[in-house]
Amino acid sequence: MSYARVLCVGLVGVTGQLVEVEVDLAAGLPGVVISGLPDTALHEARDRVRAAVVNSGQRWPNRRITLNLLPATLPKFGSAFDLAIAVALLGGSGELPLLPLDGVAVLGELGLDGTVRPVRGVLPMVAAAAKAGVQRVIVPAGNTAEAAVVPGLLVRGVDTLHRLVAFVRDGTPLIEPPVDAPPPSAPGPDLAEVAGQGLGRRALEVAAAGGHHLALIGPPGAGKTMLAERLPSILPELDDEAALEVTAVHSIAGLLPAGGQLIRRPPFQAPHHTATVPSIVGGGSGLARPGAISLAHRGVLLMDEAPEFSKAALEALRQPLEHGRVLLARSRGSAEYPARAQLVIAANPCPCANPAGDDRCECPPLARRRYLGRLSGPLLDRIDLQVRLPPMRAAELMETTSHESSAVVARRVAAARAAAAERWAPLGRRLNAQIPGPDLRRAPWRLPGRVTVELRSRLDSGSLSARGFDRVVRLAWTIADMDGRARPDAGDVGEAIALRTGERI
Ligand SMILES: [Zn+2]
């Protein structure tokens, strides 16, 4: 027998696809030919696999070896094919009877000494295998917990090529996934720890209830970052589908905790203002690494000190925010990662960043306008809520009355979201922030004239754009949902105007 076939999984973006690794050995000049759109890492795989096979005490076939990865049209990235290539080779050369691996997907990177190393993206790969009808998978020992998250699959781990060979030959047992429940993750920061800042807390709750992007503008020490970090704590838990999406992205980034469980809380990402474009939107050679915006998918992306980010970094957010996904150009094809994050930008009102706020600012008016102006094109236009936080007064800081905890606020947020989801069900949408302007402006959702008097006069005077009009209406719906009203009244619209324009209420 000089032909063998082993199943593996390829990954493009978050989408996995079964790959057949075929090996054919023929007489002729010894050497290895790889076909089927391999990337550079796959060519390196040839050398890794050879060293691993030899160092595991196996014989390297001294023949002409043809390796083929099918389907040929699928771009293949990364090092997860090593292990499948090695066993296919040993099968093809007659060293190993491959019957025990029939219908089994085999994933793993090989070290030169024959150890099997963990790979990125095991969760979406294994999920794709299961979807394609595969019932058993063999993964690196370090990835078994993660793979076991996918229901209905038999998962086994290997730490060395030698162990896999022993399993195939003699049925030596493989490594089972850990059965211990992983330790509960520490609770994130809680709203109960935030002193004062009534306006900021209100804005945060409105943002959570309606899914609105949020801008917090205020002097240093006003609590912008503290508030933003607590937004995930008042958002609902992720449902099964969202949890799988989020966990898959973190798996591809190699950032899953060792316990290997589904991520159930909305993630939080806060890239530093010196962050590069690839670290924000994703990139890198081989299997592209998701950027902060994808790691924040279904959660919160905080751009702290937003005007300090490079122009390129701010611009790069525009397309993902618009489409809810990131498209990364690759040498072959492109990779797509989800990027439906709720954006919070935090900014000082001016470059001097005087903690006393506007009253003590000595910046020339032009410098003040330019500073926030850096945000206007790419970001501010897409942000429903733009709040000016006052400086934290000593009195607020010393306040000892108890503050509402995140759990209490989260219950109100959930109730408001449920009301919105029921109303927008005919449109197939759930959150107020997602409703297109034309739908807001037509029956039965059009707000009556008496409710929008102030809004229309601002539109006529040009102090509010048409897009700004729609954003205020979206916020007004959220405020009505939070207060249990079936429709927004003039008071809701008034508060929405203040939250949109940054005016003090
Ligand atoms: Zn200033």
Side-chain angles (χ1 to χ4, degrees):
M1 166 131 172
S2 60
Y3 169 87
R5 195 181 68 103
V6 173
L7 287 179
C8 190
V9 184
L11 208 52
V12 179
V14 281
T15 313
Q17 193 179 334
L18 273 190
V19 169
E20 287 182 12
V21 177
E22 285 187 319
V23 172
D24 184 73
L25 290 99
L29 211 55
V32 183
V33 180
I34 303 182
S35 63
L37 279 190
D39 78 342
T40 343
L42 269 175
H43 278 289
E44 292 161 5
R46 178 179 49 190
D47 303 327
R48 279 198 306 272
V49 169
R50 177 199 283 268
V53 165
V54 172
N55 291 331
S56 300
Q58 305 301 312
R59 208 167 55 83
W60 182 261
N62 226 359
R63 285 190 276 170
R64 181 164 184 77
I65 301 163
T66 307
L67 268 173
N68 193 23
L69 277 71
L70 296 170
T73 48
L74 180 79
K76 299 169 194 74
F77 304 106
S79 49
F81 301 103
D82 287 5
L83 196 55
I85 291 174
V87 284
L89 235 150
L90 294 173
S93 66
E95 296 280 310
L96 210 56
L98 287 190
L99 203 61
L101 294 183
D102 206 28
V104 179
V106 179
L107 310 172
E109 177 183 318
L110 283 171
L112 299 181
D113 58 353
T115 54
V116 177
R117 295 176 178 159
V119 291
R120 293 192 279 131
V122 160
L123 176 68
M125 288 183 197
V126 166
K131 210 172 163 188
V134 169
Q135 290 169 347
R136 292 181 297 159
V137 293
I138 291 175
V139 301
N143 293 124
T144 51
E146 176 184 346
V149 161
V150 178
L153 265 181
L154 183 75
V155 175
R156 288 294 179 264
V158 280
D159 49 358
T160 59
L161 175 60
H162 186 267
R163 186 191 287 269
L164 184 55
V165 168
F167 163 75
V168 174
R169 266 198 196 123
D170 322 314
T172 309
L174 297 175
I175 298 165
E176 297 194 11
V179 283
D180 299 344
S185 51
D190 196 284
L191 266 184
E193 302 146 1
V194 178
Q197 213 42 278
L199 173 61
R201 293 175 73 108
R202 176 74 172 169
L204 203 67
E205 189 171 338
V206 173
H212 308 280
H213 297 316
L214 168 65
L216 296 170
I217 296 160
K224 305 184 294 282
T225 313
M226 268 191 99
L227 285 165
E229 283 170 346
R230 285 159 179 78
L231 179 52
S233 73
I234 58 171
L235 293 172
E237 286 226 319
L238 304 174
D239 61 21
D240 287 353
E241 190 194 342
L244 207 57
E245 283 175 15
V246 170
T247 314
V249 174
H250 287 249
S251 164
I252 293 169
L255 292 176
L256 279 190
Q261 73 255 55
L262 280 180
I263 297 173
R264 285 287 177 186
R265 291 299 314 160
F268 177 80
Q269 290 285 313
H272 190 256
H273 60 75
T274 55
T276 60
V277 171
S279 73
I280 290 178
V281 296
S285 60
L287 184 62
R289 281 185 192 271
I293 180 126
S294 291
L295 293 171
H297 175 60
R298 305 274 195 174
V300 176
L301 177 70
L302 168 64
M303 303 285 280
D304 207 356
E305 313 275 6
E308 306 285 344
F309 280 79
S310 73
K311 197 163 181 247
L314 295 174
E315 277 294 325
L317 284 175
R318 183 196 294 257
Q319 184 250 2
L321 283 178
E322 202 73 37
H323 302 287
R325 56 181 194 274
V326 176
L327 211 56
L328 297 170
R330 320 298 299 148
S331 53
R332 294 170 195 278
S334 58
E336 188 181 294
Y337 290 128
R340 204 168 289 288
Q342 193 167 355
L343 178 69
V344 179
I345 67 171
N348 296 319
C350 67
C352 83
N354 192 318
D358 293 356
D359 306 341
R360 296 278 176 79
C361 169
E362 287 163 11
C363 300
L366 183 64
R368 287 174 63 92
R369 273 203 304 279
R370 268 208 197 123
Y371 192 67
L372 286 181
R374 294 171 59 98
L375 303 177
S376 58
L379 294 183
L380 279 185
D381 290 350
R382 288 168 177 76
I383 293 178
D384 290 346
L385 269 156
Q386 300 180 8
V387 180
R388 294 260 172 182
L389 295 180
M392 182 77 83
R393 294 194 317 272
E396 285 185 281
L397 208 59
M398 303 304 289
E399 212 176 324
T400 50
T401 50
S402 72
H403 302 287
E404 280 186 319
S405 70
S406 291
V408 171
V409 180
R411 277 198 288 278
R412 282 201 302 269
V413 167
R417 282 184 166 228
E422 193 183 331
R423 175 174 60 250
W424 305 123
L427 296 177
R429 296 181 192 265
R430 305 181 62 82
L431 294 169
N432 293 325
Q434 301 166 339
I435 309 304
D439 287 316
L440 294 170
R441 281 178 257 120
R442 68 181 169 78
W445 297 299
R446 183 189 176 88
L447 299 186
R450 63 188 154 73
V451 171
T452 55
V453 178
E454 167 72 12
L455 202 47
R456 281 178 291 121
S457 91
R458 283 178 184 249
L459 188 63
D460 292 340
S461 71
S463 69
L464 196 71
S465 67
R467 212 199 289 206
F469 183 99
D470 290 339
R471 292 189 184 281
V472 170
V473 172
R474 282 189 198 106
L475 287 175
W477 277 106
T478 300
I479 294 163
D481 288 337
M482 288 165 63
D483 295 348
R485 273 184 291 284
R487 298 183 76 88
D489 61 19
D492 297 332
V493 172
E495 185 182 353
I497 291 173
L499 289 173
R500 164 69 191 167
T501 58
E503 290 166 15
R504 307 267 168 86
I505 304 173

